Amino acid sequence: MDMRKLVGRNFARLRREKGLTQEQVEERSGFSQQYLSSLERGRRNPTVITLYELAQALDVGHIELVKTDGEED
């Protein structure tokens, strides 16, 4: 599985579940809306630190961004 696409899909899903726009996540995280858009499309390769900071902005655990479908907590 392409990890960039997995992270992007999870990030987009979690952001929508939280009712947040990319612009709101930009304000919370400091990452640009362009970066977040590219991330959601699987075109970015975020670092571990970036994953942690994005998870904090979404108020979720960082593992949520790399979980595959069907994984338990």
Side-chain angles (χ1 to χ4, degrees), residues 38-60:
S38 293
L39 180 79
E40 289 187 4
R41 288 179 286 152
R43 297 196 173 154
R44 292 289 180 160
N45 191 16
T47 66
V48 172
I49 293 169
T50 298
L51 291 175
Y52 180 78
E53 291 173 353
L54 291 171
Q56 285 188 313
L58 294 175
D59 196 29
V60 299

Side-chain angles (χ1 to χ4, degrees), residues 4-5 8 11 22 32-46:
R4 291 172 296 192
K5 289 183 181 182
F11 177 80
Q22 289 177 350
S32 72
Q33 187 272 329
Q34 285 181 310
Y35 179 88
L36 299 173
S37 177
S38 293
L39 180 79
E40 289 187 4
R41 288 179 286 152
R43 297 196 173 154
R44 292 289 180 160
N45 191 16

